[in-house]
Amino acid sequence: MTRTLLPSAVLAVSLAAGCAQGIADRDGADVHFDADSPVAGALNVMGFAAQDEIGQTRLDAAGEAMPDVDVSLVEGELDVQQFMSAVSTGEPPDLIYANRDQIGTFASRGAIMPLDDCLDGEGIDIGLFREPAVAQVSFGDSVYGVPEFNQVQITMANADLLAEAGLDVADVNGSDWEAVTAANRELHHTEDDGLSVIGFDSKLPEFLPLWAKANGADLLSADGRTAHLDDPAVIEALEFAVAIYEEQGGFGAVKALRDSADFFGSGNQFASGSLGAMPFEQWYVNILNDVSPDAPLAFDTFRDRRGEPLAFASGSAWAIPEGSANPQAACRFLKTMTATDTWLAAAQARADARAEEGKPFTGLLTCNVEADAQIRDRFVDETTDSVWAEAVTATYTANAHTFSLPANPADAEFEAAWQDAVNRVLNGEAAPAEALREAQTVAQEALDTAWAQWAQR
Amino acid sequence: MGAAVRAARRRSVRPRLAPWLFIAPWLLGFAVFTAWPVLYSGYLSLTDYDVVNDPNFVGFDNYVRMFEDPKVGLALWNTFVYTVVQVPLYVLVSLALALLLNRAGRGAGWFRTAFLLPKMTPPVAVGVLVLLLLNGQQGALNEFLGWFGIDGPNWTTDSAWVKPGLILMSLWTVGSSVLILLAALRAVPEELYDAAVIDGASGWYRTTRITVPMISPALFFVVVVNTIGAFQTFTEAYTAYFGAGNSTYGNDAALFYVIYLFQQGFEFFHMGYASAMAWLLFLVVAVITAVQLVVSRRLVHYEGDR
């Protein structure tokens, strides 16, 4: 009688005291998550490396929050095959750091555990995180990952080339496709030996979701079950983005010039004047600031056809593998890593490091709404009359206007289907409508099969 | 008497047992790391298996699906075209270099090392090099062609030129074949050439009538090994068109069979389907190798043969 009463009593007392607790079922055994319980033992983390002050500061914070836990890192990007094999052999890592677009695949196959109890037990408010990011890590009715970092796209342009052509960054921010087409025509330059200046780079294949959304279409339904690749708005978006390349001699010419640039060096496309404008992810602002601080740059948000800022969110997420030997420590670790205070400490470290180098702090997109706001308020200076301040403002605006593709059990196949279609168009093997119709069939078949298999499990 | 019989038996068993004991470690390794995975992949090819959950038996569904999947046909065709062009070219270049090396004097050692050095380069690095050297705008190959007034193509994006570009880059690693052929050339008896010279045979005649027949076993070995290698080509093309070099851009012209197999198995986690694809590849390579063996009986000359 004591055996049955004691846990009930503890639970009742805990609930009455308002203590956060969660209980998850793991291989038939209950896993208790409790913010007030100490955690100990080993914690093996796969896919994360504390490569910079942001990572190291947060790792230190996690160490302080869990002094009795021995954290070991399997560094480098998550090796999906290694991870899945480890799960299948019953010896998974205790925690993984994955791309958010992998969560659906892992969750649907039962490779990671739902975090609902972890969130409840540790008192993690998932509502603090950006909704599009949470959508990427939610599968079925559960949250399977805690998101962090947000990559968003902003418009980057060469101010000198724009001025020479009598243009403004508003002509290339995507809000007016006719204006973008006209600007591309003005900005690109061809010499005897081929294209010498790319006017506008629509960044295909990877940015098709962005162009489609700008045209009012999602590639995938919100429930992750229905592909919309043959939606007329998607086809129109692809036709527009491909026509940008055709105007410049075809994708081959643009890609050859793009690939020949010193992307991460002082000879980058903006510094060398070989690119007019493109939408691109905000992390490149730091690179440009580091390697070519005097390059003639102009920034704005990327905008949809109604003129509203728009960005396709991507980033990372923490997830606990099914069969993790120390899920309690894993949950505490991810809670600490994504907590507002931890992010503030990391931002302080980054701001100090940048100040030491005499460079501006260009912000930090954490995916934690509260942390983003406080970091922007405390550490980011947007009052200076500089293009870098423009970039920061554009970045934070984009961060507030993101969308994402929902998690689904055929993440990789769906992505491969639409990317293959775009590539076939870029390689001149199919027209946009034809390629996207074929991709629709392939993608929908993959989704239907994967959802059916998930339902059987 | 009994003891004598037992001793005699021991003596007769020992010689028979000894070879097995010597090769036992290899046999064990072969059984565990090769035979068992091969047999297990045969079983997996009859299942739906996603690595994490238990395999689900589906009979011959995966094999049926292969014939309905247009990408399997495309990948097989790409691989076949690549093999048909690459292998003869690879062997010809290897033979030409080996013949030159055979005539080299003091510098032969240096050249032998130089030819082999590219083989030391990781294939992933070669994949990235493909993109740099074959860049349509500023690549070294088009720069070279430009000296002769030739406007080179976009090797990495023009579907018609993707495979030729990869074939050219594959010649980067002819070094090992050159050494094999060189060793064979060194073994050709000098008196055969002396006799041919006395008979007034030209250099071309000596090469085609003496050298090539005499090194035909080595040539045959190089052809067979490179044919199998060509059917399994993966790393360079994957890196350049589907992996680190191009995370999103790809070109169907570079979709070789093993690349598609890898995508199915390790990106989409269709291990059953990937296993079925692997067995089809095994079948194709086995048939082609068998044909090569049959043809070789007429073309390959082994010393001691009548």
Side-chain angles (χ1 to χ4, degrees), chain A residues 167-189:
Chain A
L167 298 166
D168 187 70
V169 71
D171 293 306
V172 290
N173 66 9
S175 58
D176 181 345
W177 286 8
E178 287 73 27
V180 174
T181 303
N184 177 50
R185 204 167 287 146
E186 289 294 320
L187 290 169
H188 89 271
H189 188 67

Side-chain angles (χ1 to χ4, degrees), chain B residues 15-294:
Chain B
R16 278 184 282 149
L17 196 61
W20 288 104
L21 285 174
F22 276 116
I23 63 167
W26 179 86
L27 272 180
L28 190 68
F30 177 79
V32 173
F33 297 114
T34 303
W36 171 242
V38 166
L39 291 174
Y40 195 67
S41 81
Y43 161 68
L44 285 182
S45 74
L46 304 174
T47 69
D48 179 16
Y49 178 49
D50 68 359
V51 181
V52 175
N53 297 286
D54 292 339
N56 177 34
F57 188 76
V58 294
F60 288 95
D61 282 6
N62 288 324
Y63 291 93
V64 174
R65 203 178 124 205
M66 268 196 299
F67 289 98
E68 295 166 349
D69 184 347
K71 280 205 163 182
V72 168
L74 172 72
L76 265 179
W77 174 249
N78 283 340
T79 309
F80 179 75
V81 171
Y82 176 85
T83 304
V84 164
V85 180
Q86 192 264 357
V87 173
L89 194 62
Y90 194 94
V91 174
L92 278 175
V93 171
S94 302
L95 180 60
L97 290 175
L99 286 168
L100 285 174
L101 209 51
N102 197 33
R103 292 185 180 189
R106 286 184 171 181
W110 186 88
F111 279 112
R112 272 202 303 270
T113 309
F115 287 158
L116 207 58
L117 277 178
K119 194 77 180 172
M120 310 295 170
T121 315
V124 172
V126 176
V128 176
L129 268 180
V130 167
L131 295 177
L132 295 175
L133 294 174
L134 302 185
N135 183 289
Q137 190 83 9
Q138 294 182 347
L141 182 56
N142 277 3
E143 289 275 333
F144 174 74
L145 293 174
W147 295 347
F148 304 97
I150 300 169
D151 188 15
N154 277 322
W155 298 90
T156 56
T157 50
D158 186 336
S159 300
W161 289 100
V162 165
K163 273 195 281 289
L166 286 168
I167 289 168
L168 280 177
M169 283 305 296
S170 75
L171 301 180
W172 173 263
T173 55
V174 291
S176 52
S177 295
V178 171
L179 289 190
I180 290 168
L181 295 178
L182 180 65
L185 286 171
R186 292 278 165 91
V188 178
E190 200 60 37
E191 56 268 27
L192 294 178
Y193 293 112
D194 294 341
V197 169
I198 291 167
D199 290 341
S202 66
W204 174 250
Y205 198 87
R206 291 198 298 274
T207 302
T208 54
R209 298 302 174 95
I210 298 174
T211 308
V212 171
M214 290 302 290
I215 66 165
S216 57
L219 274 173
F220 178 63
F221 173 78
V222 169
V223 167
V224 170
V225 168
N226 282 297
T227 302
I228 294 170
F231 267 100
Q232 294 176 341
T233 191
F234 174 77
T235 313
E236 292 87 344
Y238 184 81
T239 308
Y241 292 99
F242 302 95
N246 274 301
S247 55
T248 57
Y249 174 72
N251 197 308
D252 276 354
L255 185 72
F256 295 122
Y257 193 80
V258 178
I259 290 177
Y260 189 48
L261 188 157
F262 178 85
Q263 288 178 335
Q264 286 293 339
F266 296 99
E267 291 179 8
F268 306 155
F269 298 107
H270 297 157
M271 284 294 173
Y273 191 55
S275 298
M277 287 184 66
W279 275 92
L280 177 65
L281 179 65
F282 169 75
L283 197 67
V284 170
V285 172
V287 167
I288 289 175
T289 307
V291 169
Q292 288 175 329
L293 282 169
V294 170

Side-chain angles (χ1 to χ4, degrees), chain A residues 59-79:
Chain A
L59 189 62
D60 293 344
E64 283 170 24
M66 309 186 303
D68 297 328
V69 174
D70 179 21
V71 179
S72 61
L73 304 178
V74 180
E75 298 191 351
E77 197 171 327
L78 181 72
D79 184 330

Side-chain angles (χ1 to χ4, degrees), chain A residues 145-169:
Chain A
V146 173
E148 70 170 39
F149 290 121
N150 225 19
Q151 285 181 17
V152 298
Q153 303 79 34
I154 62 172
T155 300
M156 304 178 187
N158 184 309
D160 285 355
L161 291 178
L162 288 178
E164 280 170 26
L167 298 166
D168 187 70
V169 71

